[in-house]
């Protein structure tokens, strides 16, 4: 996830390098299109001989499936580019420590960072202008407009290479839906329906709840912000050239009030506080029936929890009038001052790792052989012909039923994919976490009062950022 800092979690999205399908159901795209795209791929840009490039996001030793995928990708790349040496380091981006490390020169040549931090890193000079390289990249025009805006400055110069993007949706247990007399193919599309479903799915006597919100390590703020978007809320707005806090507006209060109602009136939410992956684990072990997940999280049902992945579906986030969901992701940046050879090497590898069609197919094969998951429509960075070609490759190797993810894929085409707040998103999330925690722990909590207080604190943060 882009929002929370989760370096302490075993399954942080930030350490996850498996490429995922860029489209939902299998796209009718034959081998001729794939071959045509591959042959039309621009020839590698020349790199200086014997150049080495360091990266920050090599998977940890404990993440065996993705570490094997990373090493295999590096080996293939180095075989095709014998003058480039790729050195991976397990130094996943953490906004609470990165800036101090940068200040003393302790950062890699190229670092993958969250969407939430890209604009700040550009503004303070911690990202190299790569516009010239991107101008020659065949797929620059295929980058989704909202992502293109995130990686560029006000003048249009490009500073980041897009790696992945996700949207938040609703995952749920087919088995529990059927047991509760609900149709798994007709999940809730509004928050009113969602509340009713959660109440019907709750069986407190056997330890099962209809839903569980996240509330720890900035995850509560992350998901609450997504819910605010779905109600039409804007947690920060711009007036007179300044960014203003807006988390206590009516549309932003509604989702927190919904959580209070579900906790204390319906008893369809329990008291347990959760961080990233905790709700995935709870879905896998059957203690909850529904959870908000990023598009790439369902794979963990199989790879981490050995649950029946076919039991879980993924649909669009329920709506309350906003017709929107939160999108986030990762961007590869290059350290300012890097030589042209290092810049070329870093971006050549990023291109090969994430968007080369031959490499994509090899990665899919590797995932299958190592017990991974292929075919979940998670990555929404790219559109157009590249998206279609990647989806066609995934269709050859998919080991999950496309029908389980069609509703989610469709929602990515109909909902407004709204980027995370552009200014101090991590701080916003940290201020919203206690609001969710209070609602879970105290019946006397007041959602409006909680967000009034958070709004004042966030405004102070924004005032400092506004200068």
């Amino acid at each position: 996830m882009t929002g929370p800092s989760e370096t302490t979690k075993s399954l942080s999205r930030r350490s996850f390098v498996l490429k995922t399908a860029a489209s939902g159901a299998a796209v009718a795209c034959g081998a001729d299109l794939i071959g045509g795209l591959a042959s039309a791929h621009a020839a590698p840009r020349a790199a200086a001989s014997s150049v080495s490039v360091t990266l920050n996001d090599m998977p940890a030793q404990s993440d065996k499936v993705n570490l094997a995928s990373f090493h295999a990708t590096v080996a293939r790349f180095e075989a095709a580019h014998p003058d480039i040496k790729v050195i991976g380091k397990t130094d996943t981006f953490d906004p609470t420590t990165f800036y101090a490390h940068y200040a003393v020169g302790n950062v890699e040549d190229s670092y993958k960072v969250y969407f939430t931090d890209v604009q700040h890193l550009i503004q303070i000079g911690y990202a190299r202008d790569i516009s010239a390289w991107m101008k020659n990249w065949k797929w620059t025009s295929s980058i989704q407009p909202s992502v293109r805006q995130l990686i560029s400055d006000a003048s249009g110069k490009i500073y980041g290479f897009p790696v992945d993007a996700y949207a938040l949706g609703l995952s749920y247990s087919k088995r529990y839906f059927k047991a509760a007399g609900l149709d798994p193919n007709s999940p809730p599309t509004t928050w009113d329906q969602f509340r009713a479903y959660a109440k019907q799915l709750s069986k407190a006597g056997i330890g099962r709840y209809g839903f569980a919100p996240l509330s720890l390590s900035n995850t509560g703020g992350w998901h609450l912000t997504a819910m605010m978007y779905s109600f039409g809320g804007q947690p920060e707005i711009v007036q007179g050239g300044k960014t203003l806090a807006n988390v206590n507006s009516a549309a932003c209060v509604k989702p927190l009030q919904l959580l209070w109602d579900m906790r204390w009136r319906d008893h369809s939410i329990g008291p347990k506080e959760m961080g990233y992956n905790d709700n995935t684990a709870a879905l896998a072990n059957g203690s909850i029936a529904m959870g908000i997940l990023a598009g790439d999280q369902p794979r963990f049902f199989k790879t981490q929890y050995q649950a029946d992945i076919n039991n879980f579906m993924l649909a669009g986030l329920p709506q309350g009038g906003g017709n929107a969901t939160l999108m986030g992701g990762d961007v590869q940046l290059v350290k300012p001052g890097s030589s042209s050879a290092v810049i070329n090497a870093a971006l050549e590898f990023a291109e090969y790792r994430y968007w080369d069609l031959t490499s994509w197919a090899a990665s899919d094969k590797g995932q299958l052989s190592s017990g991974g998951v292929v075919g979940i429509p998670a990555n929404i960075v790219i559109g157009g012909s590249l998206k279609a070609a990647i989806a066609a490759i995934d269709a050859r190797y998919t080991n999950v039923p496309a029908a389980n993810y069609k509703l989610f894929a469709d929602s990515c085409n109909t909902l407004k994919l709204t980027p995370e707040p552009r200014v101090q998103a991590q701080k916003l999330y940290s201020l919203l976490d206690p609001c969710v925690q209070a609602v879970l722990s105290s019946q006397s909590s007041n959602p409006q009062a909680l967000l009034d207080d958070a709004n004042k604190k966030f405004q102070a943060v924004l005032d400092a950022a506004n200068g």
Side-chain angles (χ1 to χ4, degrees), residues 22 37 137 139 142 354-357 382-391:
L37 286 170
W137 188 44
W139 306 116
S142 294
Y354 296 106
W355 305 118
D356 178 83
L357 299 178
I382 295 292
S385 56
L386 179 56
K387 176 180 178 178
I390 287 173

Side-chain angles (χ1 to χ4, degrees), residues 364-389:
D364 277 0
K365 292 179 185 177
Q367 287 294 330
L368 289 184
S369 65
S370 58
V373 177
V374 177
I376 297 177
N379 202 331
I380 57 174
V381 167
I382 295 292
S385 56
L386 179 56
K387 176 180 178 178

Side-chain angles (χ1 to χ4, degrees), residues 153-209:
D153 66 10
S155 67
K157 292 180 180 178
I158 300 177
Y159 290 80
F161 183 85
V163 169
D164 61 56
Y166 70 88
L168 289 175
L170 181 70
S171 184
Y172 54 94
S173 165
K174 292 168 62 175
R175 183 169 63 252
Y176 284 164
F177 264 53
K178 291 177 181 177
L182 300 170
D183 182 359
N185 295 310
S186 299
T189 58
T190 69
W191 288 113
D192 286 342
Q193 291 176 348
F194 172 81
R195 181 180 175 184
Y197 277 42
K199 189 173 182 178
Q200 193 165 339
L201 288 160
S202 295
K203 298 290 183 181
I206 59 172
R208 186 174 82 223
Y209 289 96

